[in-house]
Amino acid sequence: MCVAAPDCGPSCTLQPTTARWVGCAYCGRDRAAATGPVTGRPGSGPPGAWGSGLLVDVDDPARVVQVRGSAVEYRLSGTESEAGRPGDVRAAGVVVMLHGGHLSAQVPLGEARLRATGHTLLVPSRPGYGRTAIHAGPGPQGFADTVAALCGRLGIERVRAVMGVSAGGPAAVALTERHPDLVGSLLLVSARSVLPFPTGATRVAAQLAFGPHVEARVWATVRMLLRRSPELGLRAMLASLSTLPTRQVLADLSPDERRRLVRLFSVMRSGHGFAIDVRHGLDTDLGRAVGRPTLIVASRHDGQVGWQHAEDWHQRIGGSRLWQSPSLSHLVWYGSGAVATDRQIVDFIAAR
């Protein structure tokens, strides 16, 4: 039985997977979750906290603060002192990153080049992900106001850019629309628009597989598959992320990228956040009032968020630029197109 979560299933056992993480292969929680203080580090939350026991290779801990009456988890990375103190930002300015589905502030994605070029990154967990409360939004407009209030609390008066990735796109657009004095520019990367997403049978399957009552078991199965057969697990995960044959996408990845993707998929969880993403309707006028420079990055081979979403954003946001990433999947920071994608993003921010 899982010592971190007595309510877990009878097949749940705590198993070491790396020198830094001893976690339950069934529910993803660890011993520290049962006894440790809430400091924001993975594995130190209260029993049952989403993200407990997840190995995250970042130096900066995720923290939890009360903003507008709701708990918000965030990570401030790349500060001058590397201590994450409010207002202690680097010369290149602050970039707010709003991750997509199945990710929280504890998981870095697409950050390396931005940190290397001197940016401070503010990464909040969206509603229902990590330790951010469901009611911290729950919709894009509400969460945009929450992020703006978080910036104020941290002493951040100006954001160089806000980047919305995948399902984080609508909140990034709303933040830019509603708080133009805060946001200098907008980046949308593989971002869903107000078009239906997901659709048809995929929508029904997503609700069944990643609902809050079953997602822990689904991700435990994914972790088990990735641990026992990494290549088979990668094939299974990449199949829905590209319109190209899986073998072609896999062949485009370096050995190091394959290892990093195994690690990324192994720390994903849906919490209540994915159910919010799928069920919450979007304002059909979202994006039409954006008055900041905007770059839309997308791959025509994205199997998760179709190219039509990028075109829809381009049509909605006046003066926006649509750039086609040469990457072969939804994960544009991996594969042969990663360097060009990073360069476009960094150059766009630098020019603002």
Side-chain angles (χ1 to χ4, degrees):
M1 181 67 71
C2 173
V3 300
D7 60 323
C8 193
S11 62
C12 175
T13 56
L14 283 164
Q15 302 177 10
T17 59
T18 75
R20 289 178 55 196
W21 174 45
V22 180
C24 171
Y26 191 72
C27 72
R29 289 174 277 193
D30 69 1
R31 289 186 179 90
T35 59
V38 182
T39 64
R41 281 225 178 260
S44 60
W50 187 94
S52 299
L54 300 183
L55 172 64
V56 180
D57 190 17
V58 291
D59 296 327
D60 311 290
R63 295 171 166 82
V64 179
V65 295
Q66 290 290 319
V67 181
R68 302 174 69 225
S70 296
V72 176
E73 180 184 57
Y74 76 94
R75 175 167 51 85
L76 193 62
S77 295
T79 57
E80 288 290 351
S81 66
E82 294 297 329
R85 291 196 296 268
D88 191 13
V89 301
R90 298 169 73 180
V94 179
V95 175
V96 173
M97 294 193 70
L98 299 177
H99 284 316
H102 316 301
L103 295 175
S104 74
Q106 300 182 37
V107 183
L109 178 65
E111 299 180 10
R113 187 59 182 164
L114 291 171
R115 293 186 67 167
T117 51
H119 294 87
T120 294
L121 302 175
L122 173 59
V123 189
S125 296
R126 294 189 297 114
Y129 291 106
R131 289 192 296 270
T132 295
I134 298 172
H135 301 296
Q141 288 85 352
F143 189 58
D145 294 344
T146 297
V147 173
L150 174 63
C151 287
R153 176 166 181 153
L154 296 176
I156 298 171
E157 299 178 354
R158 185 70 170 169
V159 170
R160 188 86 177 259
V162 57
M163 183 188 303
V165 183
S166 192
V173 172
L175 180 60
T176 307
E177 282 188 328
R178 296 168 71 88
H179 300 277
D181 293 337
L182 173 67
V183 178
S185 61
L186 170 65
L187 280 141
L188 295 172
V189 181
S190 303
R192 65 156 297 188
S193 74
V194 301
L195 297 176
F197 173 83
T199 59
T202 303
R203 184 182 187 88
V204 175
Q207 290 176 319
L208 292 175
F210 299 111
H213 301 297
V214 297
E215 57 88 24
R217 291 168 174 79
V218 171
W219 286 113
T221 302
V222 170
R223 287 193 297 275
M224 187 176 299
L225 177 60
L226 288 167
R227 187 166 56 250
R228 293 182 177 180
S229 179
E231 182 168 343
L232 182 60
L234 273 183
R235 288 181 179 275
M237 296 302 292
L238 291 172
S240 65
L241 297 178
S242 177
T243 59
L244 297 172
T246 306
R247 64 179 181 278
Q248 182 178 348
V249 180
L250 197 60
D252 189 55
L253 301 171
S254 69
D256 180 63
E257 286 177 320
R258 295 185 188 199
R259 286 190 291 270
R260 286 191 286 124
L261 275 176
V262 166
R263 194 176 192 181
L264 175 66
F265 291 136
S266 295
V267 297
M268 286 185 170
R269 286 290 300 271
S270 308
H272 285 80
F274 193 73
I276 295 173
D277 289 342
V278 172
R279 296 174 185 171
H280 199 86
L282 299 179
D283 184 349
T284 56
D285 289 328
L286 186 64
R288 302 197 186 281
V290 169
R292 289 289 179 264
T294 301
L295 175 65
I296 303 161
V297 175
S299 168
R300 284 190 179 272
H301 305 300
D302 191 331
Q304 194 71 212
V305 179
W307 179 256
Q308 66 271 21
H309 287 265
E311 292 181 318
D312 185 54
W313 282 129
H314 186 40
Q315 183 273 327
R316 289 171 174 275
I317 302 174
S320 62
R321 182 163 67 91
L322 173 58
W323 183 75
Q324 181 181 336
S325 169
S327 296
L328 303 187
S329 77
H330 182 63
L331 302 174
V332 295
W333 283 290
Y334 291 86
S336 57
V339 173
T341 299
D342 256 337
R343 185 179 299 115
Q344 281 289 325
I345 291 172
V346 170
D347 288 352
F348 172 79
I349 295 174
R352 306 282 72 81

